Amino acid sequence: MPTRIETISLKQIDGEDRAFAVSPVWFPLGHLVSAVEQVGIISPLHLQRTEAGRLRIVMGFRRFRAAQEIGLTEVPGLLREGESQQLFQEGILENVGSRCLHDLEKAWILLRLRSQFVLDESALIQDYLPLLGLRPDRFHLRHYLALARLPEPIQRAVYDYLDGELAIKIARWQQQERELFLTISSGHRLGRNKQKLLFGLLDDLRMQQRLSTGDNPEISPLKVLWQGAGLEEIAKDEQVASSERFERIVQRLRELRYPTLSQHEGRYRVLKKGLKLPPEIQLRPPAFFEGERISVSFSCRTAEEFLSLADRLRAVGRSEELREIFELL
Amino acid sequence: MDHYKPNRIYVERSVRHTWVARNVLERVDSTPVEFIDDTGSLLQEAKRWNPSVSQGKKSLILARQKGHFFKACPAGRGRSVCCNYFVINYAANCHMECSYCYLQSYLNFPHMVVYANHEDLLGELTSVFQENPESFFRIGTGELADSLALDPLTSYSEPLVEFFSQQKNAVLELKTKSDCIANLLPLDHGRRTVVAWSINPRIIQEEEEHKTASIEQRFAAAQDCAEAGYKIGFHLDPMIDYPDWEGDYRGLIDEIFDRIPSASIPWISVGTLRLTPELREIMRSRFPNSPLTMGELVPTDDGKMRYFRPNRVRMYQAVLGWVRRHSQKTAVYLCMESPGVWSKIFAAPPPSDVEVGDSIVASDLAPDRTAIAST
């Protein structure tokens, strides 16, 4: 490895040649620009001379972009010789040793090793997954390769907020459906659990639509559902706060996905309302009506209040509504 | 049905001379065979390579069961009513590819395994029966594998049926979706073996139970076994909720009693579809056109998803009614259901597990046992 650092004109470097890049070009530079502005580029870029006589970046893509953004004309560089695969591997080691790689970067590295350097699955699992801090098995390898192959808008969503596993799953949807999911999940700033909840409902309903109408690449099952089941109106209702709008979307999706359960819950709500319970008395059915008991709780401040609630409970106990509530179980 | 044809066989050296291993090796002459010390390295390989479920099953392992063959059925653990059933794990995995099969997510080893040391199994059973002379055991081999699908290769059923024919306090259940009964017909079973079929309407078999024997083949096999004097069990499990379920299951039950004399049917069990979230994921990826995961399945106490409870209750009540039109004597019981659901169906709380078990065998299988449960 050469030890002499040279000063290299930015014009000599072909920034478009990303053969050794380990991150997507749109990855934000974060604090790097301001750091370079303050202290300049301390670590030299590693460069390889191409047959066309220009310089290809081996390591230092982000530093190169920062230098461009600031308007530097020269950067320190090390001219490297040797096998490309060896240089790429050194690049990986340098990155792994100096910073935390994002999952997408790990995915990019693996895809490059697979497609550009034609390493087989065995070599990737054995040599590279542990290096990247990943479990050495085929499951993880395939997961990361799938991440690296996601379309750019989904990769961007993964970078910002989207769960990687969900990203791979929605990539199998039609484009309109992917856009719908990304619009809702980014618009409502959904955390991982809510992303999963939304995905689960949409994926089931999408599948139901597909099974009932058959496969037609011209028709997006979710889009049809979205427009036909009043969801679009709910989503566009700007009068309602974002969080409540999302709750209403989920409620509507749930009604579509679980019609019998929803009817049952609706009937329970009507009956419970008919009991005219004071707020001090709480009635709770088992989750999903999967159980034999209704839970009743009440609170009071004095013995008189206690007796008064007991009278109320006794009256409620004789009502037809309560009998019917128990029959719902 | 599609019979199992491994594309590679691994044999642990310690079982290479067993009767079961010899049977298999004689019957698969062109399949490559590799002798290994134990399955540890195969397990490591499998962990690393994550072969697909279908790929993994193409390798057959003949291994030694180093633990116990005989266990209490795990279905009775936890929230479900226990029917006092016991299992023999003589093999693990099944090649028949039912879309809903729980083995897809349950087993941590992707290959087909047959435990070839069957003499140890018989020794273990002898001890259990002798040490518990007052107990009556209903024991099945269909927990982690189909009881008969591999029988053309292994003939495992032969020593088991003959062994049980000599037992006073036990009955063997061979539970299958195959029609591999050729080995059973000539055996002296002493009425101590029940051959049982998991069964579903034809449309479910055709669309969801890939590689299994057709319902027609299963009925034909059941009739042959009944004629050979075997008792015949049926398991409507998993029962599927779909638009025509009522007509189809009613027709299926009518067909059971039309084709098999009710006196030959000691029990029919019923259980609706249940999926762990993990299994649901696997089904969605392996069988993307199966509508089964689209049912109105909700989370239940044991972490499995089941049909919304009022729907399940309706299905069980219907089946019980249809069976009772044909037979008062055939026991009907629920598999992996809560005491609450059991109470709704049988209008009484479930009795103890021993009592439930006794009521299932209370017939000429175990005449000294009493039918306590109102099944």
Side-chain angles (χ1 to χ4, degrees):
Chain A
M1 180 168 157
T3 51
R4 199 165 65 83
I5 298 173
E6 298 177 33
T7 300
I8 308 281
S9 161
L10 276 197
K11 284 183 187 158
Q12 286 181 268
I13 301 173
D14 182 359
E16 301 294 306
D17 186 339
R18 298 181 53 79
F20 289 98
V22 298
S23 333
V25 70
W26 48 263
F27 248 48
L29 294 174
H31 297 300
L32 187 62
V33 175
S34 59
V36 170
E37 228 165 4
Q38 283 176 39
V39 295
I41 292 179
I42 298 168
S43 299
L45 278 65
H46 290 225
L47 303 161
Q48 183 190 46
R49 196 168 292 284
T50 65
E51 284 176 7
R54 297 202 67 191
L55 294 174
R56 170 188 291 145
I57 304 170
V58 175
M59 279 177 250
F61 284 90
R62 288 155 51 82
R63 279 164 277 163
F64 173 77
R65 276 175 55 208
Q68 273 186 322
E69 255 182 57
I70 293 162
L72 299 181
T73 54
E74 291 174 335
V75 288
L78 274 175
L79 284 183
R80 303 293 312 277
E81 285 177 0
E83 289 293 317
S84 291
Q85 189 180 329
Q86 175 64 26
L87 294 178
F88 186 64
Q89 179 153 4
E90 285 174 21
I92 299 171
L93 290 170
E94 153 84 9
N95 275 294
V96 166
S98 58
R99 66 193 179 92
C100 249
L101 293 180
H102 190 276
D103 272 356
L104 281 174
E105 294 178 299
K106 295 177 183 178
W108 267 59
I109 289 171
L110 292 166
L111 182 61
R112 220 168 259 288
L113 289 164
R114 182 85 183 97
S115 51
Q116 192 170 318
F117 299 112
V118 203
L119 294 193
D120 63 18
E121 284 195 334
S122 166
L124 292 177
I125 291 171
Q126 212 156 307
D127 302 333
Y128 288 93
L129 290 187
L131 183 67
L132 296 169
L134 304 174
R135 245 176 69 178
D137 60 40
R138 190 187 264 171
F139 174 82
H140 283 85
L141 175 63
R142 293 198 167 166
H143 171 82
Y144 278 84
L145 290 176
L147 269 185
R149 290 185 176 118
L150 291 173
E152 187 181 316
I154 303 184
Q155 287 201 14
R156 283 179 182 269
V158 170
Y159 183 81
D160 287 335
Y161 66 95
L162 183 62
D163 179 79
E165 242 173 81
L166 288 188
I168 292 168
K169 286 177 181 168
I170 65 159
R172 296 181 198 129
W173 291 5
Q174 292 180 15
Q175 186 168 343
Q176 284 183 316
E177 297 171 335
R178 298 200 297 245
E179 284 166 5
L180 179 68
F181 182 86
L182 294 177
T183 305
I184 306 169
S185 55
S186 65
H188 293 278
R189 294 192 188 85
L190 302 182
R192 186 172 289 200
N193 287 343
K194 285 189 174 164
Q195 287 172 26
K196 283 187 175 165
L197 172 68
L198 178 67
F199 171 81
L201 287 166
L202 288 177
D203 196 42
D204 282 358
L205 289 166
R206 177 181 175 276
M207 169 94 170
Q208 253 175 13
Q209 287 277 112
R210 196 172 67 77
L211 289 173
S212 62
T213 58
D215 272 324
N216 183 346
E218 301 297 312
I219 299 172
S220 145
L222 266 191
K223 207 71 190 171
V224 171
L225 183 86
W226 195 256
Q227 287 161 353
L231 286 151
E232 195 158 70
E233 289 76 32
I234 300 173
K236 281 183 178 162
D237 187 356
E238 297 286 343
Q239 307 292 333
V240 178
S242 166
S243 59
E244 198 186 327
R245 239 181 307 149
F246 178 70
E247 290 306 319
R248 286 189 192 176
I249 289 172
V250 167
Q251 180 61 32
R252 182 73 189 112
L253 291 172
R254 213 166 160 271
E255 284 165 10
L256 294 167
R257 174 65 184 89
Y258 301 106
T260 322
L261 172 64
S262 300
Q263 262 180 13
H264 223 73
E265 287 171 338
R267 182 70 191 140
Y268 171 79
R269 279 194 297 271
V270 169
L271 291 166
K272 189 179 161 196
K273 203 171 169 191
L275 295 176
K276 297 190 177 71
L277 293 171
E280 293 83 2
I281 300 177
Q282 301 288 324
L283 221 60
R284 265 201 314 277
F288 301 101
F289 292 90
E290 186 64 35
E292 293 83 53
R293 287 164 187 270
I294 298 280
S295 149
V296 184
S297 62
F298 60 91
S299 61
C300 49
R301 281 164 299 192
T302 62
E304 287 72 26
E305 267 186 35
F306 183 94
L307 285 171
S308 156
L309 287 175
D311 287 343
R312 185 77 195 102
L313 281 170
R314 190 182 300 275
V316 165
R318 283 191 290 264
S319 70
E320 271 308 307
E321 284 89 348
L322 190 71
R323 257 171 237 289
E324 207 186 316
I325 282 178
F326 278 106
E327 280 166 18
L328 286 178
L329 298 182
Chain B
M1 71 171 281
D2 288 0
H3 288 277
Y4 180 57
K5 292 186 197 83
N7 60 12
R8 186 161 204 91
I9 299 178
Y10 296 91
V11 185
E12 280 187 356
R13 287 194 177 83
S14 68
V15 297
R16 67 187 298 179
H17 298 303
T18 58
W19 178 78
V20 171
R22 282 205 312 270
N23 287 343
V24 174
L25 296 177
E26 275 168 17
R27 293 168 193 176
V28 288
D29 46 359
S30 62
T31 310
V33 177
E34 192 176 319
F35 293 95
I36 56 175
D37 287 333
D38 64 44
T39 53
S41 57
L42 290 177
L43 182 58
Q44 287 307 318
E45 279 294 289
K47 274 187 180 163
R48 170 158 295 200
W49 286 104
N50 293 105
S52 69
V53 175
S54 332
Q55 195 69 30
K57 291 197 274 197
K58 289 184 178 154
S59 293
L60 171 65
I61 322 288
L62 300 177
R64 173 173 295 279
Q65 172 63 277
K66 298 182 184 85
H68 292 291
F69 281 96
F70 176 81
K71 287 171 184 162
C73 170
R77 269 190 234 137
R79 67 184 281 285
S80 302
V81 176
C82 173
C83 68
N84 203 31
Y85 194 64
F86 293 86
V87 295
I88 294 168
N89 292 334
Y90 84 103
N93 221 336
C94 177
H95 78 285
M96 287 195 290
E97 304 282 26
C98 295
S99 64
Y100 51 74
C101 178
Y102 83 109
L103 295 176
Q104 295 171 97
S105 64
Y106 189 76
L107 298 173
N108 62 0
F109 195 55
H111 307 306
M112 300 281 292
V113 182
V114 172
Y115 298 109
N117 49 328
H118 83 279
E119 285 172 349
D120 293 340
L121 160 61
L122 301 184
E124 193 180 326
L125 291 176
T126 303
S127 307
V128 172
F129 299 159
Q130 284 175 355
E131 284 163 21
N132 301 277
E134 300 303 314
S135 302
F136 191 87
F137 295 94
R138 190 166 47 98
I139 307 174
T141 54
E143 171 73 8
L144 296 182
D146 186 280
S147 294
L148 294 172
L150 299 182
D151 223 46
L153 285 180
T154 64
S155 292
Y156 221 116
S157 63
E158 294 176 21
L160 277 176
V161 170
E162 282 166 357
F163 172 82
F164 273 82
S165 73
Q166 305 302 314
Q167 307 309 314
K168 288 192 167 49
N169 58 338
V171 60
L172 170 69
E173 181 180 38
L174 299 171
K175 201 187 286 186
T176 188
K177 288 192 187 109
S178 79
D179 58 355
C180 304
I181 52 156
N183 293 334
L184 299 180
L185 298 179
L187 298 178
D188 178 10
H189 53 78
R191 299 168 75 78
R192 274 285 176 254
T193 293
V194 175
V195 192
W197 273 269
S198 293
I199 202 157
N200 249 315
R202 283 170 170 77
I203 187 165
I204 301 296
Q205 184 276 322
E206 285 159 11
E207 293 181 8
E208 306 291 340
E209 299 177 353
H210 315 285
K211 299 190 184 181
T212 62
S214 68
I215 297 303
E216 189 49 45
Q217 289 168 327
R218 290 184 219 177
F219 271 127
Q223 284 174 303
D224 288 348
C225 286
E227 277 165 26
Y230 286 98
K231 294 282 180 185
I232 308 298
F234 287 99
H235 299 280
L236 273 66
D237 197 348
M239 212 181 153
I240 308 297
D241 184 3
Y242 62 103
D244 298 326
W245 73 266
E246 279 186 275
D248 288 354
Y249 279 99
R250 184 185 185 141
L252 186 69
I253 287 167
D254 288 345
E255 192 172 0
I256 288 174
F257 286 98
D258 283 348
R259 298 183 71 160
I260 310 292
S262 63
S264 295
I265 308 175
W267 58 70
I268 294 178
S269 81
V270 201
T272 54
L273 180 69
R274 45 208 178 269
L275 310 174
T276 59
E278 192 192 357
L279 174 57
R280 188 172 179 275
E281 281 289 297
I282 293 173
M283 286 175 70
R284 289 291 278 270
S285 116
R286 294 193 70 214
F287 304 99
N289 291 323
S290 166
L292 265 52
T293 57
M294 293 294 97
E296 213 165 330
L297 298 153
V298 298
T300 60
D301 293 352
D302 61 359
K304 295 189 180 76
M305 302 170 84
R306 289 174 166 82
Y307 293 129
F308 178 47
R309 186 171 133 143
N311 293 356
R312 299 205 307 275
V313 167
R314 209 152 48 88
M315 293 168 86
Y316 294 137
Q317 281 171 335
V319 169
L320 181 63
W322 295 327
V323 172
R324 284 290 165 260
R325 290 192 313 147
H326 293 281
S327 167
Q328 292 299 318
K329 207 176 164 198
T330 299
V332 176
Y333 65 97
L334 308 182
C335 188
M336 296 197 78
E337 264 304 349
S338 65
V341 170
W342 183 286
S343 304
K344 286 224 166 205
I345 307 306
F346 300 114
S352 73
D353 49 359
V354 172
E355 288 170 328
V356 174
D358 282 355
S359 70
I360 293 169
V361 291
S363 62
D364 47 351
L365 287 171
D368 57 325
R369 304 280 141 174
T370 324
I372 293 168
S374 50
T375 51

